[in-house]
Amino acid sequence: STGPIFSDIDDFESYTSTTSLTAMWQWTGVVSGNSMAIALNTSGGSGSTQAMQVDFSFSSGQTNPKGYTGRSLNNGNAVDWTTYDGISIWLKGLSETGNTPQYVQVALHEGNGGSGNWGDKMESAKVYLNNLNPAGEYVYLSFADFTDYGGFGGTRDNGVLDLDDIRSIFVFSKYDGTPNQTSSASFLVDDLQNYQNTAKISETNPQVSSLLPDKYALRQNFPNPFNPVTTIQYDLPSAGDVQLVIYDILGREITTLVNGRMEAGFHQIRWDGRDRMGEKVASGVYIYLLKAGDYIGSKKLVLMK
């Protein structure tokens, strides 16, 4: 399911060539040298005919290598996304060599600087390539999980994502640590869009029922392995009582993340690796189990310190 999508940012169908793509995605480069390139891939994205292919490579000895590609929004004028809850992105890993795991992030920049009004640089949660469905999948990045990675020093550089002043969007390809060998990653990007929480929308507009999921589903957490926080997503086609519980590998209950009535829609919740007493649990394999209606689903996650 593509989820509740309301305002397109980039589906890459409008580009006629790699030249036209790179003209719009005007910033492509790397931090600490190495190589980053983008190209128009016409072999298919999320069911469409083309997507953006990102190719990133880095050599040994470069600490926390990072590549980026970005573009301005609304000709550099402010975009107001205060009515939206996050960014969705379709990703498909093509290859990953050398030092792993490598990951993708989406970043948003605020402020235009013309009047000293520069703002923050905010980045999403990490999406690890080795956790993606090999066929590609949609990932939902909540604005609530975006964090400051160094602002511009202006009046709106306040460490908070000001959704009424978004100016540009970036896709990062990154690796944490100092690689000991030449490494690379290649992946497809499609359907960069912002989304709204269907439960919020349905309270004011009951005509959006077609945007709700058509079946119960429990998604694989991301990142996985994780430290210190991971996100669990689940879909509810109808409202009802829901339980989402974390167990250790021996079946002992660690903590309950959800226990109560939930509206129909696409949901997500974060777990910070703590038990019901607020204590950090040990590294290892854990089970998360969802009960909703007649549905019971479970998956494994790994906490690695």
Side-chain angles (χ1 to χ4, degrees):
S1 173
T2 61
I5 308 301
F6 291 88
S7 179
D8 170 69
I9 298 170
D10 214 315
D11 64 1
F12 301 98
E13 294 303 297
S14 62
Y15 302 106
T16 58
S17 65
T18 292
T19 300
S20 63
L21 169 70
T22 55
M24 180 62 75
W25 284 76
Q26 64 262 50
W27 307 302
T28 299
V30 291
V31 174
S32 300
N34 305 301
S35 174
M36 179 81 167
I38 61 172
L40 191 65
N41 185 308
T42 58
S43 63
S46 59
S48 60
T49 58
Q50 56 194 33
M52 179 169 70
Q53 180 169 332
V54 177
D55 297 304
F56 176 49
S57 63
F58 50 93
S59 55
S60 63
Q62 300 283 351
T63 302
N64 299 327
K66 165 183 156 182
Y68 61 87
T69 185
R71 54 162 289 189
S72 64
L73 299 169
N74 194 27
N75 295 316
N77 298 310
V79 175
D80 188 341
W81 283 344
T82 53
T83 60
Y84 296 96
D85 294 291
I87 295 287
S88 71
I89 180 174
W90 185 87
L91 293 170
K92 178 181 179 179
L94 299 179
S95 64
E96 185 181 15
T97 67
N99 290 99
T100 60
Q102 298 175 45
Y103 62 91
V104 178
Q105 286 180 298
V106 172
L108 301 174
H109 289 183
E110 307 167 358
N112 58 16
S115 59
N117 194 34
W118 287 108
D120 296 283
K121 299 178 180 180
M122 308 292 290
E123 61 187 4
S124 73
K126 301 174 182 179
V127 183
Y128 286 89
L129 292 175
N130 62 359
N131 283 341
L132 291 173
N133 186 322
E137 67 174 285
Y138 281 88
V139 176
Y140 296 85
L141 304 170
S142 171
F143 288 143
D145 296 329
F146 275 63
T147 56
D148 191 349
Y149 72 96
F152 293 104
T155 56
R156 301 199 72 166
D157 185 1
N158 55 8
V160 176
L161 181 57
D162 294 311
L163 289 170
D164 62 346
D165 195 28
I166 305 302
R167 306 289 175 144
S168 56
I169 186 167
F170 288 80
V171 175
F172 292 159
S173 183
K174 301 171 74 174
Y175 170 77
D176 287 340
T178 302
N180 58 13
Q181 58 184 306
T182 298
S183 308
S184 66
S186 181
F187 55 92
L188 297 184
V189 176
D190 202 0
D191 290 345
L192 260 168
Q193 301 166 20
N194 44 26
Y195 70 88
Q196 289 173 305
N197 184 307
T198 53
K200 293 182 180 179
I201 297 169
S202 62
E203 292 171 0
T204 57
N205 182 7
Q207 303 306 313
V208 301
S209 59
S210 61
L211 298 171
L212 298 175
D214 57 4
K215 62 181 180 180
Y216 291 100
L218 179 63
R219 309 294 181 182
Q220 185 64 55
N221 66 299
F222 64 90
N224 188 43
F226 77 95
N227 181 27
V229 177
T230 191
T231 298
I232 299 172
Q233 298 174 325
Y234 57 98
D235 304 345
L236 304 177
S238 60
D241 293 332
V242 176
Q243 278 191 331
L244 180 58
V245 182
I246 306 288
Y247 296 92
D248 66 16
I249 199 66
L250 298 178
R252 295 173 297 198
E253 182 177 331
I254 300 300
T255 189
T256 298
L257 300 181
V258 180
N259 187 21
R261 183 174 178 81
M262 300 291 293
E263 296 297 323
F266 300 84
H267 298 272
Q268 67 177 29
I269 192 167
R270 304 172 76 197
W271 184 44
D272 60 1
R274 297 178 184 270
D275 62 19
R276 68 170 71 90
M277 303 302 294
E279 299 294 328
K280 292 184 178 181
V281 300
S283 298
V285 178
Y286 293 86
I287 308 294
Y288 57 103
L289 184 143
L290 176 71
K291 294 181 180 179
D294 295 329
Y295 174 84
I296 299 178
S298 64
K299 292 184 179 294
K300 293 181 180 180
L301 55 79
V302 178
L303 172 59
M304 184 177 296
K305 297 182 180 179

